[in-house]
Amino acid sequence: MLHHSIFELSPLEQQITKRSQSFFAQDCQDHSSTLCDMIRGRDFLFIGAAGSIGSQTLSTLLQFEPRRVDVVDISENGLAELVRSLRSTNTHFSVPADFNLMPLDYTSQIAHDWMGKRYKNYAGVFNFAALKHVRSEKNPHSIAAMLDTNVAKLMTFYDRLEDAGFRGRLFNVSTDKAANPSSMMGATKRVMEHAMFSQALRRGLDAQVTSARFANVAFSNGSLLQSWVYRLGLNQPLAVPEGCCRFFVSMKESGQLCLLAGMLGKNDHIAIPNLDPAVNLVSLQDVLEEFLAENGFEPVYLTDEAKAKTSVHELSGQKKWPVLLTPLDTVGEKPYEEFLGGKEQALEGQMGSLSEVPYLPAPDVEVIAFRDWLRHLLGPDATSDMFTLDLIKAKIGSLEPAFLDTHVLAKNNLDERV
């Protein structure tokens, strides 16, 4: 039986999510024996696990006593903090004796040489490597970098797993922004779903492949909420988009969701949380006010950036804090969240907290053509005329025709905001 403490939400998380314990607690408890049978004494690989969601999934999996865990991440500092945190936390799990953290690009030849003989022994592989910010949609070159990280590297990795005879479970995290994508980031993650599920690309890879789309993770690395913590500590104004509502899960919940989807999810399906918009959809302004109240302040909403920056000292002395209220008019931003694409259907599965969405395939000929074009784009023979927004959008549209209409173009970029 899992210890109840792993399902407890902090007071601030309770205020944000409107629940006192994990949304996934019942499913974790109900399926704990099955998870134990699948994990205890077995080997696992985590890619990109130095980040918030990956590290939370890892710490959740450690509750079930794996034999060996290998962790690969390009962030050397992130790996150092991960192992410090795991070994310092007073929790109900222990770090296995065979625990290896390597600062590597998981598709590099060095990583392949190190993991090559291990691939076949992994019971499960969890992949969290991603470029995940809408703000990364700056120009064709930054979009090409998203395609490289979110799609091309995954295809290379799949080839290596297949060649090595991997037959375990393979989980790649997706995002709610892949459903009816309005941003290039969301579109690259939808293309990632095609890359991971398409039989045309999987060749003979005989693995159980699953994914998950889910909500914002409160205070995760790079999130707006985490930026509030930084801004407050640096005596800087906060910022929040006006009229924006979001679903939230806590960091613990994100790890539990990914473990459930990765180990118990149905092959070729995408898990989505059964969050109720009437109950679980919250205003970012409400979340901001709760965050400031927790820190002893009231918000003062402003629309002038210069005034917001110069008023911190005066307002903080009155137990108030300047907040820059910004319109939702930047590239790729959605005013709402959704987990299902236009023709997708959520099916009831074995878990009450999660539904399962069958993968809707793109035509094999389009998938293969996109792969070949992407390899050319990222290869040494690419020409400057290939790096155009219109061309990249058209190529993505060959797999996701609706993206040609749902993509949100705007003059403003998030990097132009506080």
Side-chain angles (χ1 to χ4, degrees):
M1 182 65 69
L2 295 167
H3 196 272
H4 65 85
S5 65
I6 73 168
F7 303 118
E8 294 174 349
L9 273 61
S10 71
L12 183 56
E13 288 172 337
Q14 291 181 34
Q15 291 176 3
I16 293 171
T17 63
K18 313 303 179 188
R19 50 185 176 267
S20 59
Q21 71 165 5
S22 170
F23 188 75
F24 309 101
Q26 193 64 54
D27 281 320
C28 287
Q29 292 170 333
D30 289 348
H31 297 281
S32 61
S33 294
T34 302
L35 288 169
C36 192
D37 291 342
M38 297 175 75
I39 296 171
R40 179 175 288 169
R42 303 196 180 199
D43 300 351
F44 291 85
L45 170 65
F46 278 73
I47 299 165
S52 302
I53 301 170
S55 62
Q56 288 296 321
T57 307
L58 172 58
S59 61
T60 306
L61 180 132
L62 292 180
Q63 309 272 337
F64 298 96
E65 302 177 359
R67 186 185 77 89
R68 179 175 70 199
V69 176
D70 295 332
V71 182
V72 175
D73 198 298
I74 59 173
S75 173
E76 184 183 31
N77 290 339
L79 288 175
E81 181 53 33
L82 172 64
V83 73
R84 288 168 183 155
S85 177
L86 290 174
R87 295 192 181 280
S88 301
T89 304
N90 181 24
T91 58
H92 299 274
F93 67 82
S94 58
V95 177
D98 198 349
F99 185 62
N100 309 285
L101 298 98
M102 298 290 285
L104 302 172
D105 175 344
Y106 77 105
T107 61
S108 68
Q109 186 57 43
I110 299 171
H112 181 56
D113 185 71
W114 181 66
M115 294 186 294
K117 295 180 180 179
R118 303 170 183 247
Y119 287 139
K120 198 169 184 178
N121 295 326
Y122 291 130
V125 174
F126 288 81
N127 182 15
F128 301 93
L131 286 179
K132 63 177 185 176
H133 280 288
V134 173
R135 69 173 60 240
S136 292
E137 184 174 338
K138 306 175 193 296
N139 55 49
H141 291 82
S142 68
I143 296 167
M146 284 194 284
L147 286 167
D148 184 26
T149 299
N150 296 344
V151 182
K153 289 182 183 298
L154 181 65
M155 292 191 293
T156 298
F157 186 60
Y158 267 37
D159 288 346
R160 289 175 174 174
L161 288 175
E162 196 277 331
D163 290 341
F166 172 75
R167 295 295 182 269
R169 295 191 66 91
L170 178 54
F171 173 84
N172 299 275
V173 70
S174 188
T175 171
D176 60 280
K177 294 177 178 61
N180 301 316
S182 62
S183 66
M184 282 290 183
M185 186 281 288
T188 65
K189 294 294 274 187
R190 177 55 183 156
V191 175
M192 180 211 76
E193 293 174 355
H194 287 302
M196 65 182 288
F197 290 123
S198 172
Q199 294 299 322
L201 297 185
R202 281 192 16 207
R203 299 191 299 162
L205 181 60
D206 184 19
Q208 298 288 303
V209 182
T210 63
S211 188
R213 299 173 186 161
F214 52 96
N216 293 266
V217 181
F219 301 102
S220 59
N221 290 346
S223 67
L224 179 63
L225 274 63
Q226 185 193 57
S227 79
W228 295 343
V229 177
Y230 291 159
R231 303 285 77 75
L232 201 68
L234 293 170
N235 289 315
Q236 295 173 349
L238 311 188
V240 66
E242 186 174 13
C244 184
C245 293
R246 293 288 184 260
F247 290 109
F248 280 97
V249 295
S250 70
M251 284 204 276
K252 283 183 180 179
E253 287 176 313
S254 72
Q256 293 158 16
L257 187 164
C258 289
L259 185 70
L260 289 170
M263 298 306 298
L264 302 176
K266 193 173 180 179
N267 186 43
D268 290 342
H269 282 60
I270 303 164
I272 61 172
N274 291 327
L275 295 169
D276 183 354
V279 176
N280 303 117
L281 196 62
V282 297
S283 161
L284 276 178
Q285 286 179 244
D286 290 345
V287 174
L288 173 83
E289 291 173 9
E290 288 160 355
F291 169 76
L292 282 175
E294 185 78 9
N295 287 277
F297 296 100
E298 295 179 11
V300 174
Y301 292 108
L302 302 167
T303 56
D304 183 270
E305 185 175 315
K307 186 174 181 180
K309 288 190 285 189
T310 58
S311 61
V312 174
H313 180 73
E314 177 185 355
L315 290 175
S316 62
Q318 304 170 27
K319 293 298 180 181
K320 298 178 181 180
W321 206 269
V323 177
L324 188 65
L325 199 59
T326 61
L328 272 172
D329 62 354
T330 52
V331 172
E333 279 199 285
K334 274 186 176 181
Y336 55 89
E337 286 186 320
E338 55 189 337
F339 300 116
L340 287 173
K343 296 182 180 180
E344 292 178 332
Q345 183 180 5
L347 305 178
E348 187 176 318
Q350 61 178 317
M351 293 171 280
S353 62
L354 294 171
S355 291
E356 295 185 304
V357 181
Y359 164 63
L360 291 182
D364 285 350
V365 64
E366 297 293 354
V367 174
I368 296 298
F370 186 91
R371 179 200 64 187
D372 295 343
W373 168 80
L374 182 58
R375 286 177 173 173
H376 188 195
L377 177 72
L378 302 175
D381 297 325
T383 55
S384 58
D385 61 334
M386 296 180 67
F387 289 90
T388 69
L389 179 61
D390 288 343
L391 177 59
I392 293 174
K393 184 173 177 176
K395 292 296 184 180
I396 293 174
S398 69
L399 294 181
E400 285 293 307
F403 180 64
L404 300 176
D405 297 320
T406 59
H407 181 221
V408 175
L409 285 169
K411 293 181 179 179
N412 298 317
N413 185 284
L414 280 169
D415 281 352
E416 298 166 348
R417 297 276 168 82
V418 168

